[in-house]
Amino acid sequence: PAIVGHSMGGLVALMLAKAHPDAVGKLMIVDSLPYIGEIFAPGATVAALEPQAKAMRAGMAAAYGKPANVAANEALAARMALKPASRTTVAEWAAKADARVSAQAMYEDLTTDLRPDMASIAAPITLVYPWNAVGPTKPVADALYRKAYATAPHVTFVDIGDAAHFVMLDQPVAFQAALDDFLRP
């Protein structure tokens, strides 16, 4: 089957293709890196970032059972989306999320490094990634994603401008076109 994964879902899709190469037809990875630690510190290792990952997990999980922190959710949404409606949606999702699950997911994302495995992922990858005037700009995004996927044998890069992490919310028409192209036989 064709598999589509956004963010941590993209990492899971890469893990699936690595573990079960005969079970995956092709991948669409949406704004996901083989190792998210690259965003925090280029060349970072899991060992170097694990203390920070543990602290983030503990801090996030501590919010469980407490009233939603509207300001924190809005700040998160402002980093993850550009358009006002997109930010509202992301902030609403964050308010409804189980803080324990979000905390564990972030920890697992920060402690999973598939960089050494990229060359062995045989499934064709369509990588959709955002860029915008605030950052990352197109040249920065191009360099980041092309470097991260440089050893993967079959990658098609699809950049979508005027978008942030939730590219499908910021640019739904462009994202739908990229998805339609990906799903075309």
Coordinates of all heavy atoms in Angstrom, one line a residue, residues 51-149:
P51 N 18.8 13.6 27.7 CA 18.4 14.4 28.9 C 17.4 15.4 28.7 O 16.5 15.6 29.4 CB 19.8 15.0 29.4 CG 20.8 14.1 28.8 CD 20.3 13.6 27.5
Q52 N 17.5 16.2 27.6 CA 16.6 17.2 27.2 C 15.2 16.5 26.9 O 14.2 17.0 27.2 CB 17.1 18.0 26.0 CG 16.2 19.1 25.6 CD 16.7 19.9 24.4 OE1 17.8 19.6 23.9 NE2 15.9 20.8 23.9
A53 N 15.3 15.4 26.2 CA 14.0 14.7 25.9 C 13.3 14.2 27.1 O 12.1 14.3 27.2 CB 14.3 13.5 25.0
K54 N 14.0 13.7 28.1 CA 13.4 13.3 29.4 C 12.8 14.5 30.1 O 11.7 14.4 30.6 CB 14.5 12.6 30.3 CG 14.8 11.2 29.8 CD 15.8 10.6 30.8 CE 16.2 9.2 30.4 NZ 17.2 8.6 31.3
A55 N 13.5 15.6 30.1 CA 13.0 16.8 30.8 C 11.7 17.3 30.0 O 10.7 17.7 30.7 CB 14.0 17.9 30.8
M56 N 11.7 17.3 28.7 CA 10.5 17.7 28.0 C 9.4 16.8 28.3 O 8.2 17.3 28.5 CB 10.8 17.7 26.5 CG 11.7 18.9 26.0 SD 12.2 18.8 24.3 CE 10.6 19.2 23.5
R57 N 9.6 15.5 28.3 CA 8.6 14.5 28.6 C 8.0 14.8 30.0 O 6.7 14.8 30.1 CB 9.1 13.1 28.5 CG 8.1 12.1 28.8 CD 8.6 10.7 28.7 NE 9.7 10.4 29.6 CZ 10.5 9.3 29.5 NH1 10.2 8.4 28.7 NH2 11.5 9.2 30.4
A58 N 8.8 15.0 31.0 CA 8.3 15.2 32.3 C 7.5 16.5 32.4 O 6.4 16.6 33.0 CB 9.5 15.3 33.3
G59 N 8.0 17.6 31.8 CA 7.3 18.9 31.8 C 6.0 18.8 31.1 O 5.0 19.3 31.6
M60 N 5.9 18.1 29.9 CA 4.7 18.0 29.2 C 3.7 17.1 30.0 O 2.5 17.5 30.1 CB 4.9 17.4 27.8 CG 5.6 18.4 26.9 SD 6.1 17.6 25.3 CE 4.5 17.3 24.5
A61 N 4.1 16.0 30.5 CA 3.2 15.1 31.2 C 2.7 15.7 32.5 O 1.6 15.4 32.9 CB 4.0 13.8 31.5
A62 N 3.4 16.6 33.1 CA 2.9 17.3 34.3 C 1.7 18.1 34.1 O 0.9 18.4 35.0 CB 4.0 18.2 34.9
A63 N 1.3 18.4 32.8 CA 0.1 19.2 32.5 C -1.1 18.3 32.5 O -2.3 18.8 32.5 CB 0.3 19.8 31.1
Y64 N -0.9 17.0 32.6 CA -2.1 16.0 32.6 C -3.0 16.3 33.8 O -2.6 16.5 34.9 CB -1.6 14.6 32.7 CG -2.8 13.6 32.7 CD1 -3.6 13.4 31.6 CD2 -3.2 13.0 33.9 CE1 -4.7 12.6 31.6 CE2 -4.3 12.1 33.9 CZ -5.0 12.0 32.8 OH -6.1 11.1 32.8
G65 N -4.3 16.4 33.5 CA -5.4 16.6 34.5 C -5.5 18.0 34.9 O -6.4 18.3 35.8
K66 N -4.8 18.9 34.4 CA -4.9 20.4 34.7 C -5.7 21.1 33.6 O -5.7 20.6 32.4 CB -3.5 21.0 34.8 CG -2.7 20.4 36.0 CD -1.4 21.0 36.1 CE -0.6 20.3 37.3 NZ 0.8 20.6 37.3
P67 N -6.2 22.2 33.9 CA -6.9 23.0 32.8 C -5.9 23.3 31.7 O -4.7 23.5 31.9 CB -7.4 24.2 33.5 CG -7.4 23.9 35.0 CD -6.3 22.9 35.2
A68 N -6.5 23.3 30.5 CA -5.6 23.7 29.3 C -5.0 25.0 29.5 O -5.6 26.0 30.0 CB -6.5 23.7 28.0
N69 N -3.7 25.1 29.1 CA -2.9 26.3 29.2 C -3.1 27.0 27.8 O -2.4 26.7 26.8 CB -1.5 26.0 29.4 CG -0.6 27.3 29.6 OD1 -0.9 28.3 29.0 ND2 0.5 27.2 30.3
V70 N -4.1 27.9 27.7 CA -4.4 28.5 26.5 C -3.2 29.2 25.9 O -3.0 29.1 24.7 CB -5.6 29.5 26.7 CG1 -5.9 30.3 25.4 CG2 -6.8 28.8 27.2
A71 N -2.5 30.0 26.6 CA -1.3 30.7 26.1 C -0.3 29.7 25.5 O 0.3 30.0 24.5 CB -0.7 31.6 27.2
A72 N 0.0 28.6 26.2 CA 1.0 27.7 25.8 C 0.5 27.0 24.5 O 1.3 26.8 23.5 CB 1.3 26.6 26.8
N73 N -0.8 26.7 24.4 CA -1.3 26.1 23.2 C -1.3 27.0 22.0 O -1.0 26.6 20.9 CB -2.8 25.6 23.5 CG -2.8 24.4 24.4 OD1 -1.8 23.7 24.6 ND2 -3.9 24.2 25.0
E74 N -1.6 28.3 22.3 CA -1.5 29.3 21.2 C -0.1 29.5 20.7 O 0.2 29.6 19.5 CB -2.1 30.6 21.7 CG -3.6 30.5 21.8 CD -4.3 31.8 22.3 OE1 -3.6 32.7 22.7 OE2 -5.6 31.8 22.3
A75 N 0.9 29.5 21.7 CA 2.3 29.6 21.3 C 2.8 28.4 20.5 O 3.5 28.5 19.5 CB 3.2 29.7 22.5
L76 N 2.3 27.2 20.9 CA 2.7 26.0 20.1 C 2.1 26.1 18.7 O 2.7 25.8 17.7 CB 2.1 24.8 20.8 CG 2.1 23.5 20.0 CD1 3.6 23.0 19.9 CD2 1.3 22.4 20.6
A77 N 0.8 26.5 18.6 CA 0.1 26.6 17.3 C 0.8 27.7 16.4 O 0.9 27.5 15.2 CB -1.3 27.0 17.5
A78 N 1.3 28.7 17.0 CA 2.0 29.8 16.3 C 3.3 29.3 15.6 O 3.8 29.7 14.6 CB 2.3 31.0 17.1
R79 N 4.0 28.3 16.3 CA 5.2 27.7 15.7 C 4.9 26.6 14.7 O 5.7 26.3 13.8 CB 6.0 27.0 16.9 CG 6.7 28.0 17.8 CD 7.7 27.3 18.7 NE 7.2 26.2 19.4 CZ 6.5 26.2 20.6 NH1 6.3 27.3 21.2 NH2 6.1 25.1 21.2
M80 N 3.7 26.0 14.8 CA 3.3 24.9 13.9 C 2.5 25.2 12.7 O 2.3 24.4 11.8 CB 2.6 23.9 14.7 CG 3.3 23.3 15.9 SD 4.6 22.2 15.3 CE 5.2 21.5 16.7
A81 N 1.9 26.4 12.7 CA 1.0 26.8 11.6 C 1.1 28.3 11.3 O 1.4 29.1 12.2 CB -0.4 26.4 11.9
L82 N 0.9 28.7 10.1 CA 1.0 30.2 9.7 C -0.4 30.9 9.7 O -0.5 32.0 10.1 CB 1.6 30.3 8.3 CG 3.1 30.0 8.2 CD1 3.5 30.3 6.7 CD2 3.9 30.8 9.2
K83 N -1.4 30.2 9.1 CA -2.7 30.9 8.9 C -3.5 30.9 10.2 O -3.4 30.0 11.0 CB -3.5 30.1 7.8 CG -2.7 29.8 6.6 CD -2.3 31.1 5.8 CE -1.6 30.7 4.5 NZ -1.1 31.8 3.8
P84 N -4.2 32.0 10.4 CA -5.0 32.1 11.7 C -5.9 30.9 11.9 O -6.0 30.4 13.0 CB -5.8 33.4 11.5 CG -4.9 34.2 10.6 CD -4.3 33.3 9.7
A85 N -6.6 30.5 10.9 CA -7.6 29.4 11.1 C -6.8 28.1 11.4 O -7.2 27.3 12.2 CB -8.4 29.2 9.8
S86 N -5.6 27.9 10.8 CA -4.8 26.7 11.0 C -4.3 26.8 12.5 O -4.3 25.7 13.2 CB -3.6 26.7 10.1 OG -4.0 26.7 8.7
R87 N -3.9 27.9 12.9 CA -3.4 28.1 14.3 C -4.6 27.7 15.3 O -4.3 27.1 16.3 CB -2.9 29.5 14.6 CG -1.5 29.7 13.9 CD -1.0 31.1 14.1 NE 0.3 31.1 13.5 CZ 1.1 32.2 13.5 NH1 0.6 33.4 14.0 NH2 2.3 32.2 13.0
T88 N -5.8 28.2 15.0 CA -6.9 27.9 15.9 C -7.1 26.4 16.0 O -7.3 25.8 17.1 CB -8.2 28.6 15.4 OG1 -7.9 30.0 15.4 CG2 -9.4 28.3 16.2
T89 N -7.1 25.7 14.8 CA -7.3 24.3 14.8 C -6.2 23.6 15.6 O -6.5 22.7 16.5 CB -7.3 23.8 13.4 OG1 -8.4 24.4 12.7 CG2 -7.4 22.3 13.3
V90 N -4.9 23.9 15.4 CA -3.8 23.3 16.2 C -4.0 23.5 17.7 O -3.8 22.6 18.5 CB -2.5 23.8 15.6 CG1 -1.3 23.2 16.5 CG2 -2.3 23.3 14.2
A91 N -4.3 24.8 18.0 CA -4.5 25.1 19.5 C -5.6 24.3 20.1 O -5.5 23.8 21.2 CB -4.7 26.6 19.7
E92 N -6.7 24.1 19.3 CA -7.8 23.3 19.8 C -7.4 21.8 20.0 O -7.7 21.2 21.0 CB -9.0 23.4 18.9 CG -9.7 24.8 18.9 CD -10.7 25.0 17.9 OE1 -10.9 24.1 17.0 OE2 -11.4 26.0 17.9
W93 N -6.6 21.3 19.0 CA -6.1 19.9 19.1 C -5.3 19.8 20.4 O -5.4 18.8 21.1 CB -5.4 19.5 17.9 CG -6.2 19.3 16.6 CD1 -7.5 19.1 16.5 CD2 -5.7 19.3 15.3 NE1 -7.9 19.0 15.2 CE2 -6.7 19.1 14.4 CE3 -4.4 19.4 14.8 CZ2 -6.6 19.0 13.1 CZ3 -4.2 19.3 13.4 CH2 -5.3 19.1 12.6
A94 N -4.4 20.7 20.6 CA -3.5 20.7 21.7 C -4.2 20.7 23.0 O -3.9 20.0 24.0 CB -2.5 21.8 21.7
A95 N -5.3 21.5 23.1 CA -6.1 21.6 24.3 C -6.8 20.2 24.6 O -7.0 19.9 25.8 CB -7.1 22.7 24.2
K96 N -7.1 19.5 23.6 CA -7.8 18.2 23.8 C -6.9 17.0 23.9 O -7.4 15.9 24.3 CB -8.8 18.0 22.6 CG -9.9 19.0 22.5 CD -10.7 18.8 21.2 CE -11.8 19.8 21.1 NZ -12.5 19.7 19.8
A97 N -5.6 17.2 23.6 CA -4.7 16.1 23.7 C -4.4 15.6 25.1 O -4.4 16.4 26.0 CB -3.4 16.5 23.0
D98 N -4.2 14.3 25.3 CA -3.7 13.8 26.5 C -2.3 14.1 26.7 O -1.4 13.6 25.9 CB -4.0 12.2 26.5 CG -3.6 11.6 27.8 OD1 -2.6 11.9 28.5 OD2 -4.4 10.7 28.2
A99 N -1.9 14.9 27.7 CA -0.6 15.4 27.9 C 0.4 14.2 28.1 O 1.6 14.3 27.7 CB -0.5 16.3 29.0
R100 N 0.0 13.1 28.7 CA 0.9 12.0 28.9 C 1.2 11.3 27.5 O 2.4 11.0 27.3 CB 0.2 10.9 29.8 CG -0.2 11.5 31.1 CD -1.1 10.5 31.9 NE -2.3 10.4 31.1 CZ -3.3 9.5 31.4 NH1 -3.3 8.8 32.5 NH2 -4.4 9.5 30.6
V101 N 0.3 11.2 26.6 CA 0.5 10.6 25.3 C 1.4 11.6 24.5 O 2.4 11.1 23.9 CB -0.8 10.3 24.6 CG1 -0.5 9.9 23.2 CG2 -1.6 9.3 25.4
S102 N 1.1 12.8 24.5 CA 1.9 13.8 23.8 C 3.4 13.8 24.3 O 4.3 13.9 23.5 CB 1.3 15.2 23.9 OG 0.1 15.3 23.3
A103 N 3.5 13.7 25.6 CA 4.8 13.7 26.2 C 5.6 12.5 25.8 O 6.8 12.6 25.4 CB 4.7 13.8 27.7
Q104 N 5.0 11.3 25.8 CA 5.7 10.1 25.4 C 6.0 10.1 24.0 O 7.1 9.7 23.5 CB 4.9 8.9 25.8 CG 5.6 7.6 25.6 CD 6.9 7.4 26.4 OE1 7.0 7.9 27.5 NE2 7.8 6.7 25.8
A105 N 5.1 10.6 23.1 CA 5.3 10.7 21.7 C 6.5 11.6 21.4 O 7.4 11.2 20.6 CB 4.1 11.1 21.0
M106 N 6.6 12.7 22.0 CA 7.7 13.6 21.8 C 9.0 13.0 22.2 O 10.0 13.0 21.5 CB 7.5 14.9 22.5 CG 8.7 15.9 22.4 SD 9.1 16.3 20.7 CE 7.7 17.4 20.3
Y107 N 9.0 12.3 23.4 CA 10.2 11.6 23.8 C 10.7 10.6 22.8 O 11.9 10.5 22.5 CB 9.9 11.0 25.2 CG 11.1 10.1 25.7 CD1 12.2 10.7 26.3 CD2 11.1 8.7 25.5 CE1 13.3 10.0 26.7 CE2 12.2 8.0 25.9 CZ 13.3 8.6 26.5 OH 14.3 7.8 26.9
E108 N 9.7 9.7 22.4 CA 10.1 8.7 21.4 C 10.6 9.3 20.1 O 11.5 8.7 19.5 CB 8.9 7.8 21.2 CG 8.6 6.9 22.4 CD 7.4 6.0 22.2 OE1 7.0 5.7 21.1 OE2 6.9 5.5 23.3
D109 N 10.0 10.4 19.7 CA 10.5 11.0 18.4 C 11.9 11.5 18.6 O 12.8 11.4 17.8 CB 9.6 12.2 18.1 CG 9.5 12.5 16.6 OD1 10.2 11.9 15.8 OD2 8.8 13.5 16.3
L110 N 12.2 12.1 19.8 CA 13.5 12.7 20.1 C 14.6 11.6 20.3 O 15.8 11.9 20.3 CB 13.5 13.6 21.3 CG 13.0 15.0 21.0 CD1 12.6 15.7 22.3 CD2 14.0 15.8 20.1
T111 N 14.1 10.4 20.6 CA 15.1 9.3 20.8 C 15.1 8.2 19.8 O 15.6 7.1 20.0 CB 14.8 8.7 22.2 OG1 13.5 8.2 22.3 CG2 15.1 9.7 23.3
T112 N 14.5 8.5 18.6 CA 14.6 7.6 17.5 C 15.4 8.2 16.3 O 15.0 9.3 15.9 CB 13.1 7.3 17.0 OG1 12.4 6.7 18.1 CG2 13.2 6.3 15.8
D113 N 16.4 7.6 15.9 CA 17.3 8.1 14.9 C 17.4 7.1 13.7 O 18.0 6.1 13.8 CB 18.7 8.4 15.5 CG 19.7 9.0 14.5 OD1 19.3 9.2 13.3 OD2 20.8 9.3 14.9
L114 N 16.8 7.5 12.6 CA 16.8 6.6 11.4 C 17.8 7.0 10.4 O 17.9 6.4 9.3 CB 15.4 6.5 10.8 CG 14.3 5.9 11.6 CD1 13.0 5.8 10.8 CD2 14.7 4.5 12.0
R115 N 18.6 8.0 10.7 CA 19.6 8.5 9.7 C 20.5 7.3 9.2 O 20.7 7.2 8.0 CB 20.5 9.6 10.3 CG 19.8 10.9 10.5 CD 20.6 11.9 11.2 NE 21.0 11.5 12.6 CZ 21.6 12.3 13.5 NH1 22.0 13.5 13.1 NH2 21.8 11.8 14.7
P116 N 21.0 6.4 10.1 CA 21.8 5.3 9.5 C 21.1 4.4 8.6 O 21.7 3.6 7.9 CB 22.3 4.6 10.8 CG 22.1 5.6 11.9 CD 21.0 6.4 11.5
D117 N 19.8 4.4 8.7 CA 19.0 3.4 8.0 C 18.4 3.9 6.7 O 17.8 3.1 5.9 CB 17.8 2.9 8.9 CG 18.2 2.4 10.2 OD1 19.1 1.4 10.1 OD2 17.8 2.8 11.2
M118 N 18.6 5.2 6.4 CA 17.9 5.7 5.2 C 18.3 5.1 3.9 O 17.5 4.9 3.0 CB 18.2 7.3 5.1 CG 17.5 8.0 6.3 SD 15.7 7.7 6.4 CE 15.1 8.4 4.9
A119 N 19.6 4.7 3.8 CA 20.0 4.0 2.5 C 19.4 2.7 2.3 O 19.3 2.3 1.1 CB 21.6 3.9 2.6
S120 N 18.9 2.1 3.3 CA 18.3 0.7 3.2 C 16.8 0.8 2.9 O 16.1 -0.2 2.7 CB 18.6 -0.1 4.4 OG 17.9 0.4 5.5
I121 N 16.2 2.0 3.0 CA 14.7 2.1 2.7 C 14.5 2.1 1.2 O 14.8 3.1 0.6 CB 14.1 3.3 3.5 CG1 14.3 3.1 5.0 CG2 12.7 3.5 3.1 CD1 13.8 4.2 5.8
A122 N 14.0 1.0 0.7 CA 13.9 0.9 -0.8 C 12.6 1.5 -1.3 O 12.6 1.8 -2.5 CB 14.0 -0.6 -1.1
A123 N 11.6 1.7 -0.5 CA 10.3 2.2 -1.0 C 10.6 3.6 -1.5 O 11.3 4.4 -0.9 CB 9.3 2.2 0.1
P124 N 10.0 4.0 -2.6 CA 10.1 5.4 -3.1 C 9.4 6.3 -2.1 O 8.4 6.0 -1.5 CB 9.2 5.4 -4.4 CG 9.2 3.9 -4.8 CD 9.2 3.1 -3.5
I125 N 10.1 7.4 -1.8 CA 9.6 8.4 -0.9 C 9.3 9.7 -1.6 O 10.1 10.2 -2.4 CB 10.7 8.7 0.2 CG1 11.1 7.4 1.0 CG2 10.3 9.8 1.1 CD1 12.3 7.6 1.9
T126 N 8.1 10.2 -1.3 CA 7.8 11.6 -1.7 C 7.8 12.4 -0.4 O 7.0 12.1 0.5 CB 6.4 11.6 -2.3 OG1 6.4 10.9 -3.6 CG2 6.0 13.1 -2.7
L127 N 8.7 13.3 -0.4 CA 8.9 14.1 0.8 C 8.2 15.5 0.6 O 8.7 16.3 -0.2 CB 10.3 14.3 1.2 CG 10.6 15.2 2.4 CD1 10.1 14.5 3.7 CD2 12.1 15.5 2.5
V128 N 7.2 15.8 1.4 CA 6.5 17.1 1.3 C 7.0 17.9 2.5 O 6.9 17.4 3.6 CB 5.0 16.9 1.4 CG1 4.3 18.3 1.4 CG2 4.5 16.1 0.2
Y129 N 7.5 19.1 2.2 CA 8.0 19.9 3.3 C 7.6 21.4 3.1 O 7.6 21.9 2.0 CB 9.5 19.8 3.5 CG 10.4 20.2 2.3 CD1 10.9 21.5 2.2 CD2 10.6 19.3 1.3 CE1 11.7 21.9 1.2 CE2 11.4 19.7 0.2 CZ 11.9 21.0 0.1 OH 12.7 21.3 -0.9
P130 N 7.4 22.1 4.2 CA 7.0 23.5 4.1 C 8.2 24.5 4.2 O 9.3 24.1 4.7 CB 6.1 23.7 5.3 CG 6.8 22.8 6.3 CD 7.3 21.6 5.6
W131 N 7.9 25.7 3.7 CA 8.8 26.8 3.9 C 8.0 28.1 3.9 O 6.8 28.1 3.5 CB 9.9 26.9 2.9 CG 9.4 26.9 1.5 CD1 9.1 25.9 0.6 CD2 9.2 28.1 0.7 NE1 8.7 26.4 -0.6 CE2 8.7 27.7 -0.6 CE3 9.3 29.5 1.0 CZ2 8.4 28.7 -1.5 CZ3 8.9 30.4 0.0 CH2 8.5 30.0 -1.2
N132 N 8.6 29.2 4.5 CA 7.9 30.4 4.5 C 8.9 31.6 4.7 O 10.1 31.3 4.9 CB 6.8 30.4 5.6 CG 7.4 30.1 7.0 OD1 8.0 31.0 7.6 ND2 7.1 28.9 7.5
A133 N 8.4 32.8 4.7 CA 9.3 33.9 4.8 C 9.9 34.1 6.2 O 11.0 34.6 6.3 CB 8.5 35.2 4.4
V134 N 9.2 33.6 7.2 CA 9.7 33.7 8.6 C 10.7 32.7 8.9 O 11.7 32.9 9.6 CB 8.5 33.6 9.6 CG1 9.0 33.7 11.0 CG2 7.5 34.7 9.3
G135 N 10.5 31.5 8.4 CA 11.5 30.4 8.6 C 10.8 29.1 8.9 O 9.8 29.1 9.5
P136 N 11.4 28.0 8.4 CA 12.5 28.1 7.5 C 12.2 28.7 6.1 O 11.1 28.4 5.6 CB 13.0 26.6 7.4 CG 11.7 25.9 7.6 CD 10.8 26.7 8.5
T137 N 13.1 29.5 5.6 CA 13.0 30.0 4.3 C 13.2 28.8 3.3 O 13.7 27.8 3.7 CB 14.0 31.1 4.0 OG1 15.3 30.5 4.2 CG2 13.8 32.3 5.0
K138 N 12.9 29.1 2.1 CA 13.0 28.0 1.1 C 14.5 27.5 1.0 O 14.7 26.3 1.0 CB 12.6 28.5 -0.3 CG 12.7 27.3 -1.4 CD 11.9 27.7 -2.6 CE 12.0 26.7 -3.7 NZ 12.4 25.3 -3.5
P139 N 15.5 28.3 0.9 CA 16.9 27.8 0.9 C 17.3 27.0 2.1 O 17.9 25.9 2.0 CB 17.8 29.0 0.7 CG 16.9 30.1 0.2 CD 15.5 29.8 0.7
V140 N 16.8 27.4 3.3 CA 17.1 26.7 4.5 C 16.4 25.3 4.5 O 16.9 24.3 4.8 CB 16.8 27.5 5.8 CG1 16.8 26.7 7.0 CG2 17.7 28.7 5.8
A141 N 15.1 25.4 4.2 CA 14.3 24.1 4.2 C 14.8 23.2 3.1 O 15.0 22.0 3.4 CB 12.8 24.5 3.9
D142 N 15.2 23.7 1.9 CA 15.7 22.8 0.9 C 17.0 22.1 1.4 O 17.1 20.9 1.2 CB 16.1 23.6 -0.4 CG 14.9 24.1 -1.2 OD1 13.8 23.6 -1.0 OD2 15.1 24.9 -2.1
A143 N 17.9 22.8 2.0 CA 19.1 22.3 2.5 C 18.9 21.2 3.6 O 19.5 20.2 3.6 CB 20.1 23.4 3.0
L144 N 18.0 21.6 4.5 CA 17.7 20.7 5.7 C 17.2 19.3 5.2 O 17.7 18.3 5.5 CB 16.7 21.3 6.6 CG 16.2 20.4 7.7 CD1 17.3 20.1 8.7 CD2 15.0 21.1 8.4
Y145 N 16.1 19.4 4.3 CA 15.5 18.1 3.9 C 16.3 17.3 2.9 O 16.3 16.1 3.0 CB 14.1 18.4 3.4 CG 13.2 18.9 4.5 CD1 12.9 20.2 4.8 CD2 12.6 17.9 5.4 CE1 12.1 20.6 5.8 CE2 11.8 18.3 6.5 CZ 11.6 19.7 6.6 OH 10.8 20.1 7.7
R146 N 17.0 18.0 2.0 CA 17.8 17.3 1.1 C 19.0 16.6 1.8 O 19.4 15.5 1.4 CB 18.3 18.2 -0.1 CG 17.1 18.6 -1.0 CD 17.5 19.5 -2.1 NE 16.3 19.9 -2.8 CZ 15.7 19.1 -3.8 NH1 16.2 18.0 -4.1 NH2 14.6 19.6 -4.4
K147 N 19.6 17.2 2.8 CA 20.6 16.6 3.5 C 20.1 15.4 4.3 O 20.7 14.3 4.3 CB 21.3 17.6 4.5 CG 22.4 17.0 5.3 CD 22.9 18.0 6.3 CE 23.9 17.3 7.2 NZ 24.2 18.0 8.5
A148 N 19.0 15.6 5.0 CA 18.4 14.5 5.8 C 18.0 13.3 5.0 O 18.1 12.1 5.5 CB 17.2 15.0 6.5
Y149 N 17.6 13.5 3.7 CA 17.2 12.3 2.9 C 18.2 12.0 1.8 O 17.9 11.2 0.9 CB 15.8 12.6 2.3 CG 14.7 12.5 3.3 CD1 14.4 13.6 4.1 CD2 14.0 11.3 3.5 CE1 13.4 13.4 5.1 CE2 13.0 11.2 4.4 CZ 12.7 12.2 5.2 OH 11.8 12.1 6.2

